[in-house]
């Protein structure tokens, strides 16, 4: 049997989320349920004629409970089975899916196989569920290869309803719509309609052969997000900047990276940077980038705040966890934040 017509081998990693939830008989709220319930509801899977093995979180979780220890569990499962499978599908709650996708993209260095994350807005047991279609399409994408057997997707991606998005560019955009995700600053990797149409120019490729998969398991949680708003109080901001144990802060600013120009504000930021805190300037806007345009942004840059360009908050915070987890000092983290590692932001 040639490489291109052998049965695809996919590893399915079930972490939880709405896709596998059932309604509690007493409270009527949704809670995670076991993998066999989920898979029993998708008999069509057999029509794919793939070899599909699975690993399940025990117990499966609502993704609001997701934390770096869970990302390590997912990455370890991928590393352990990397050589034996053509692709990986991770079933995950939608709430923190973009964070997990971003974290995994940094943790799985030199990834050359598809890691497709999906879930659903309605549980798989419901009549109008989006879970069945999402699961089946995710499996097909994880199995997609060219005629030499080379995987089409060689990165962590989110499949949801009609689109495949780069994981570390994605954001959950809707709590209700079936098209719940979007990458606001990067084109879709594929459009799903009657067929799956890949956008080949957008797919990530390692710039050169950088060797085998290398997994990173150290993530430093000494990071936080500060969101600006008009009227932010001086003592509250100073308190936040002086939070014990914080090494890195994602500062969500206005528009193209702008912040109040009052002296106390810039002084507080400058002092935090001098104390060795790494601050990354990321826009509150869902689309567009932080760049040098207004004096109100220049002052931040002059204080040593790093320009986050078009990175998402999800990618920014997990990139910081990853960089500090590598044991880098503040100046090296600042430098690394200015450059893309695996397609998470534009070059300039
Ligand atoms: N709360 C759920 C979760 O993130 C929501 C979902 O899966 O859509 O696990």
């Amino acid at each position: 049997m040639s490489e291109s017509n052998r049965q695809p081998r996919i590893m399915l990693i079930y972490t939880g989320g709405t896709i596998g939830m059932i309604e509690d008989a007493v409270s009527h709220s949704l809670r995670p349920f076991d993998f066999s319930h989920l898979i029993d509801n998708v008999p069509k899977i057999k029509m794919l004629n793939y070899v599909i093995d699975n690993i399940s979180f025990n117990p499966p979780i609502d993704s609001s409970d997701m934390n770096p220890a869970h990302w390590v569990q997912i990455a370890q499962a991928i590393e352990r089975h990397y050589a034996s499978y053509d692709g990986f599908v991770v079933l995950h709650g939608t709430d923190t899916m973009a964070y997990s996708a971003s974290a995994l993209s940094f943790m799985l260095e030199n990834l050359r196989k598809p890691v497709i994350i999906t879930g659903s807005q309605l549980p798989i047991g419901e009549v109008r569920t989006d879970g069945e279609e999402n699961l089946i399409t995710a499996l097909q994408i994880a199995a997609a290869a060219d005629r030499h057997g080379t995987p089409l997707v060689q990165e962590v991606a989110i499949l949801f309803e009609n689109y495949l998005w780069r994981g570390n560019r994605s954001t959950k955009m809707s709590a209700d719509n079936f098209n719940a995700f979007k990458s606001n600053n990067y084109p879709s990797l594929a459009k799903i309609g009657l067929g799956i149409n890949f956008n080949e120019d957008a797919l990530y490729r390692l710039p050169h052969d950088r060797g085998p998969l290398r997994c990173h398991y150290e993530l430093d949680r000494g990071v936080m997000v500060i969101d600006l708003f008009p009227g932010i109080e001086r003592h509250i901001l100073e308190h936040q900047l002086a939070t014990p144990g914080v090494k890195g802060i994602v500062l969500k600013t206005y528009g193209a990276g702008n912040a109040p120009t009052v002296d106390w504000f810039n002084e507080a930021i400058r002092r935090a940077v001098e104390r060795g805190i790494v601050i990354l300037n990321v826009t509150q806007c869902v689309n567009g980038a932080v760049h040098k345009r207004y004096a109100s942004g220049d002052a931040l840059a002059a204080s040593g705040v790093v320009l986050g360009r078009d990175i998402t908050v999800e990618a920014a915070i997990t990139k910081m966890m990853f960089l500090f987890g590598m044991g880098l000092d503040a100046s090296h983290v600042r430098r690394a934040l200015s450059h893309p590692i695996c397609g998470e932001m534009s070059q300039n």
Side-chain angles (χ1 to χ4, degrees):
M1 200 181 262
S2 79
E3 182 62 22
S4 55
N5 61 17
R6 74 170 174 77
Q7 254 185 321
R9 296 175 58 83
I10 309 296
M11 175 59 80
L12 192 54
I13 302 169
Y14 174 51
T15 71
T18 297
I19 191 163
M21 288 188 185
I22 56 164
E23 196 178 289
D24 186 277
V26 181
S27 67
H28 297 292
S29 44
L30 293 170
R31 61 176 173 80
F33 204 57
D34 69 14
F35 184 74
S36 55
H37 153 79
L38 190 148
I39 222 66
D40 288 350
N41 274 285
V42 198
K44 275 192 210 150
I45 271 189
K46 294 194 188 73
M47 291 166 69
L48 290 173
N49 200 22
Y50 299 167
V51 176
I52 302 172
D53 293 318
N54 66 80
I55 294 174
S56 182
F57 271 25
N58 188 14
I61 59 168
D62 185 299
S63 79
S64 321
D65 283 323
M66 204 43 84
N67 66 47
H70 296 115
W71 299 335
V72 167
Q73 252 180 281
I74 300 169
Q76 279 174 337
I78 293 170
E79 183 177 37
R80 208 173 315 123
H81 298 284
Y82 192 70
S84 326
Y85 291 86
D86 299 303
F88 299 83
V89 171
V90 181
L91 296 177
H92 193 294
T94 58
D95 290 344
T96 59
M97 191 181 280
Y99 291 90
S100 297
S102 299
L104 287 168
S105 75
F106 301 121
M107 295 167 77
L108 302 171
E109 187 183 346
N110 298 339
L111 182 70
R112 284 175 179 279
K113 291 189 178 182
V115 174
I116 311 300
I117 310 186
T118 195
S120 69
Q121 294 282 45
L122 284 176
I124 202 105
E126 291 204 13
V127 185
R128 290 182 56 252
T129 185
D130 50 331
E132 182 176 50
E133 210 173 290
N134 284 348
L135 172 54
I136 288 182
T137 310
L139 288 165
Q140 289 182 313
I141 291 172
D146 68 14
R147 59 195 171 85
H148 307 291
T150 307
L152 292 189
V153 178
Q154 302 183 15
E155 60 186 290
V156 180
I158 289 182
L159 177 278
F160 227 83
E161 192 72 0
N162 296 118
Y163 297 95
L164 182 72
W165 304 107
R166 174 164 298 163
N168 58 27
R169 292 285 196 149
S170 304
T171 295
K172 182 173 178 181
M173 298 294 292
S174 172
D176 304 320
N177 289 345
F178 284 153
N179 268 313
F181 286 85
K182 194 164 180 202
S183 67
N184 291 294
N185 285 321
Y186 196 76
S188 59
L189 305 183
K191 171 101 180 66
I192 291 85
L194 291 182
I196 300 172
N197 294 312
F198 288 95
N199 179 2
E200 286 184 21
D201 293 341
L203 293 169
Y204 186 75
R205 291 292 180 265
L206 281 170
H208 49 87
D209 189 357
R210 293 199 298 209
L213 179 76
R214 203 168 147 222
C215 294
H216 301 271
Y217 294 118
E218 296 301 325
L219 294 160
D220 193 322
R221 296 164 72 158
V223 294
M224 69 187 281
V225 178
I226 297 180
D227 216 334
L228 292 185
F229 56 90
I232 191 165
E233 278 271 21
R234 176 180 186 167
H235 73 275
I236 295 176
L237 180 75
E238 286 177 348
H239 202 76
Q240 286 177 307
L241 293 170
T243 305
V246 167
K247 299 176 182 169
I249 296 172
V250 174
L251 184 66
K252 289 182 71 183
T253 58
Y254 310 127
N258 307 313
T261 56
V262 281
D263 286 346
W264 69 259
F265 182 88
N266 284 312
E267 203 34 41
I269 297 288
R270 195 183 52 75
R271 268 191 275 116
V273 173
E274 275 172 12
R275 286 199 308 275
I277 309 280
V278 175
I279 305 182
L280 182 66
N281 185 352
V282 173
T283 177
Q284 293 176 353
C285 297
V286 292
N287 170 251
V290 162
H291 41 86
K292 281 177 82 69
R293 188 153 160 211
Y294 297 97
S296 49
D298 286 355
L300 285 181
S303 303
V305 171
V306 184
L307 281 189
R309 297 208 282 265
D310 60 356
I311 197 167
T312 61
V313 172
E314 295 90 330
I317 199 81
T318 53
K319 186 172 177 178
M320 272 193 180
M321 287 184 182
F322 166 73
L323 294 171
F324 282 117
M326 302 245 298
L328 301 182
D329 63 23
S331 66
H332 283 93
V333 170
R334 278 194 197 103
R335 206 167 312 146
L337 284 171
S338 304
H339 304 282
I341 294 177
C342 47
E344 74 280 10
M345 64 186 200
S346 305
Q347 290 280 358
N348 45 44

